[in-house]
Amino acid sequence: RTLFPYTTLFRSDLVDIPVIFLTSQVDIESELKGIEKGAIDFIRKPFVPQIMISRIKMHLELYDYRIDLEKK
């Protein structure tokens, strides 16, 4: 199973929405491919909930900063 066919579906229509992969795939090639397809992060299972939440919050803050800068 692979997540990457789905990236073309949502990346073409939802370009401005940050995408974070949560996956059990552990190989570097999968992570690199996910980033190349437009993901902003790649979180591997099993994960520590507090760390995952912190990373998501960080990406949401960065997204907000980017939107604010684009408005100026």
Side-chain angles (χ1 to χ4, degrees):
R1 296 188 321 173
T2 180
L3 338 148
F4 303 115
Y6 300 106
T7 58
T8 54
L9 291 174
F10 65 94
R11 290 313 294 172
S12 61
D13 294 332
L14 307 172
V15 173
D16 292 330
I17 297 176
V19 174
I20 299 172
F21 283 124
L22 175 61
T23 181
S24 60
Q25 296 178 354
V26 295
D27 58 296
I28 298 299
E29 292 82 17
S30 292
E31 182 172 358
L32 181 58
K33 191 171 183 180
I35 299 298
E36 287 173 348
K37 293 284 187 174
I40 60 169
D41 207 345
F42 202 88
I43 300 173
R44 291 185 180 93
K45 294 178 188 177
F47 61 91
V48 178
Q50 296 88 347
I51 292 173
M52 185 180 77
I53 290 168
S54 292
R55 289 170 77 171
I56 291 170
K57 284 181 180 179
M58 176 196 59
H59 286 300
L60 290 172
E61 281 183 31
L62 289 171
Y63 177 77
D64 287 341
Y65 290 141
R66 191 187 90 204
I67 297 299
D68 286 345
L69 284 172
E70 288 175 357
K71 288 180 183 177
K72 294 181 180 183

